[in-house]
Amino acid sequence: MPEPLTKEEVDSKTDPTVATQWDESTPKDEQFQELYKIADGMKTCLLTTTRPNVGPVARSMAIAKRVGPDFLYLANIHSQKFEDLKENKTVQITFQDSSTQNWISITGQAVTTDNADPRIKQIYSKGVNAWFGDLGDGIHTGMPEDPRMALIEVKAKYIAYWKSTVTSVGFLKEVTQASLTGKVADTGVNRQLFEKDIQGARDSSS
């Protein structure tokens, strides 16, 4: 149900939606499991790099594999994002599920490796070659052995995510009631995970 707005919230200059939905009571291991469930339900995300003299640049990327709180991507080493990463390895990954309104934002460090990385063959899947093409020279085939095939591993440092706690109908009902009553919509939980939490999750998944 919508929550009433208090004078204390206004005086303290807090965002009432964040204050209402902030979740610091759920155990961290449960928070990570629910994070993984949301992320694993979405096959693509936006990977944002920083480009010199431009600023943040985002592109849609298919997730090749999630390893605990970290994400692996296959990409063409000739693409501009590798030039971006030479200058600045800090990246952001964002997910948005329009059907539930769930979202995830991950800030991390990107580690890039060339075709010699054995993980490329392990996570390669049928259809990846469609994004590389086959030159017909027996080398640039779009297959795992293609020298253009490189790996981007994003190691998370900070994670924020929001998880819906109502159905799509419940979401509309909650927002409508809040709008009509002057209360604050309460539709889900907002969580954040810091580097210490993330390292613990990484250790437990290795």
Side-chain angles (χ1 to χ4, degrees), residues 37-83:
K37 184 177 181 180
I38 295 171
D40 292 347
M42 292 183 273
K43 304 303 181 184
T44 61
C45 66
L46 287 180
L47 172 65
T48 303
T49 56
T50 300
R51 186 163 299 168
N53 303 316
V54 175
V57 178
R59 76 283 292 158
S60 179
M61 295 284 291
I63 300 161
K65 186 176 182 180
R66 176 185 61 77
V67 181
D70 306 320
F71 293 80
L72 303 178
Y73 304 87
L74 294 175
N76 192 321
I77 202 167
H78 295 159
S79 66
Q80 182 64 44
K81 54 183 162 287
F82 284 91
E83 295 301 315

Side-chain angles (χ1 to χ4, degrees), residues 110-183:
V111 179
T112 60
T113 55
D114 61 21
N115 189 253
D117 193 318
R119 293 177 295 176
I120 290 177
K121 289 184 179 180
Q122 296 170 5
I123 65 177
Y124 183 91
S125 61
K126 186 178 180 181
V128 171
N129 61 331
W131 305 105
F132 285 78
D134 185 349
L135 184 60
D137 61 358
I139 299 174
H140 301 91
T141 60
M143 303 301 285
E145 299 79 10
D146 189 321
R148 298 172 297 166
M149 190 80 62
L151 186 73
I152 299 175
E153 178 180 17
V154 176
K155 300 186 76 66
K157 293 187 68 176
Y158 172 78
I159 300 171
Y161 76 97
W162 186 87
K163 175 182 176 291
S164 175
T165 56
V166 296
T167 64
S168 57
V169 173
F171 184 93
L172 292 174
K173 181 179 179 181
E174 182 78 10
V175 172
T176 300
Q177 288 183 339
S179 178
L180 293 174
T181 62
K183 295 181 179 180

